[in-house]
Amino acid sequence: MPYRTDDVVAHVRLHLAASSLTEVLHRCWSLIEELPAVGMEAAPVAPDIYLVKLVLVEESRDEESSVDALRRVAIPLLARFDLGEEYFVLDESQRKTLGASVYYPELVAELVEGCEQVVLGVWMGDSVDDFYDTVESLDIDEGEQPQIDESDLVELGQFLEQMHATKVLLVADIVAVDGIEARDQIRSLAARVCSEPLVGEPTLGPDGSIRVEVAVGMSDDGPDETYREVVAQLDLSGWDVVERTPSLVRAVWSSPQPTAGVARLELRIGPDVGVRSDGSPPVPSGS
């Protein structure tokens, strides 16, 4: 990844226990979004052990010295890992920090499940040329190096495709006898869009209706085009777009007879809708 001279680059290296690359991504996704990371590398270094590197890049501010830029980026990161300013140690001649490590599994596991160690380094863009810039293997014999099998790569590709695709979530408020009836009603409607909709667990709303969330598919198109396609497939008139951004379209529909059946629908369409904090879709019902 190329950097400009005055970019501030941070690498967060995680030593992580996981059974597959997909599990690594699931566990790291909330941290990737929080930091936010602009790049990621992961490699197996032992059976069920991965080395993960998250890359953060920030521009320097006008007339900001390299020391001030490094401090501005490094101090909040150190605090995120429960490390104080005493760990902010500079090599000014190389325009970089000397790095900081957290070796206590019980602490770093609170950051990412299965994490056993964190190493943090921050540099100016013209100094990112050392062992932090590539994922390093641990001290194990070359013959013991685990291999990524084809099924791992297929699963990883599917996961990444799902993460970046435009997702469609249908939120329904339904007047029904119970959750079973409510799920049946929304499942038949969602089937107009998706042959196998993922129906979530019903919850009781404050007005006595039953709310059910349904993941009804993904699209390679953007939110606006996907919205037009989904509305045409649902074949219900009277949709009102209440929110529209480059990454989200949210629209609502209300029934002319709100005392029976589906009383209200809300469409949420975008790459981040319908995904829980662990990166997985809504919990499907057991029936």
Side-chain angles (χ1 to χ4, degrees):
M1 179 181 294
Y3 311 110
R4 292 175 297 185
T5 299
D6 290 326
D7 283 341
V8 187
V9 182
H11 289 176
V12 179
R13 194 176 65 170
L14 310 173
H15 189 208
L16 187 68
S19 61
S20 67
L21 282 171
T22 304
E23 186 176 359
V24 168
L25 283 170
H26 273 290
R27 291 187 177 182
C28 293
W29 196 256
S30 60
L31 182 63
I32 291 171
E33 291 186 316
E34 176 192 341
L35 290 178
V38 297
M40 175 182 177
E41 294 179 13
V45 293
D48 294 332
I49 298 293
Y50 284 77
L51 205 57
V52 180
K53 183 181 73 178
L54 305 182
V55 182
L56 291 71
V57 180
E58 290 197 25
E59 295 182 3
S60 293
R61 296 172 179 172
D62 291 341
E63 301 181 359
E64 184 179 41
S65 69
S66 61
V67 172
D68 290 339
L70 290 167
R71 175 179 292 275
R72 174 172 55 82
V73 174
I75 296 300
L77 282 173
L78 289 168
R80 179 64 184 83
F81 305 132
D82 293 326
L83 297 175
E85 287 197 32
E86 65 271 19
Y87 288 90
F88 178 69
V89 182
L90 282 177
D91 179 346
E92 291 190 46
S93 65
Q94 297 295 318
R95 288 166 40 102
K96 66 181 182 180
T97 67
L98 297 183
S101 302
V102 182
Y103 291 98
Y104 303 104
E106 66 274 14
L107 295 180
V108 292
E110 296 178 2
L111 177 71
V112 175
E113 182 185 354
C115 190
E116 300 175 350
Q117 181 190 107
V118 173
V119 180
L120 169 68
V122 184
W123 300 265
M124 301 305 295
D126 56 355
S127 301
V128 189
D129 185 22
D130 57 18
F131 74 97
Y132 284 101
D133 201 35
T134 56
V135 172
E136 296 286 321
S137 65
L138 300 182
D139 294 328
I140 58 178
D141 293 336
E142 187 171 330
E144 297 176 359
Q145 291 279 359
Q147 301 296 316
I148 302 173
D149 61 31
E150 187 174 348
S151 62
D152 263 341
L153 293 175
V154 170
E155 191 177 5
L156 174 61
Q158 291 173 341
F159 180 84
L160 291 173
E161 182 179 353
Q162 291 173 4
M163 275 299 178
H164 296 290
T166 298
K167 302 172 187 66
V168 181
L169 183 72
L170 187 62
V171 182
D173 294 326
I174 304 167
V175 178
V177 174
D178 54 26
I180 295 175
E181 181 183 333
R183 286 197 299 264
D184 288 343
Q185 289 194 33
I186 193 58
R187 186 180 286 111
S188 62
L189 179 62
R192 300 178 185 177
V193 181
C194 174
S195 60
E196 297 182 2
L198 185 60
V199 182
E201 289 290 349
T203 58
L204 187 63
D207 60 352
S209 65
I210 298 174
R211 171 160 291 190
V212 183
E213 295 187 2
V214 188
V216 291
M218 293 179 289
S219 172
D220 293 330
D221 298 325
D224 276 314
E225 186 173 348
T226 302
Y227 167 71
R228 291 191 291 271
E229 293 170 355
V230 171
V231 167
Q233 291 168 331
L234 287 172
D235 194 24
L236 296 172
S237 60
W239 287 94
D240 181 22
V241 176
V242 295
E243 184 176 1
R244 175 178 270 126
T245 70
S247 60
L248 174 69
V249 171
R250 189 165 64 89
V252 297
W253 173 90
S254 296
S255 169
Q257 297 179 325
T259 56
V262 179
R264 182 182 182 275
L265 295 173
E266 180 176 329
L267 269 175
R268 301 172 189 170
I269 301 176
D272 298 322
V273 304
V275 178
R276 301 185 303 173
S277 61
D278 63 357
S280 60
V283 180
S285 66
S287 62

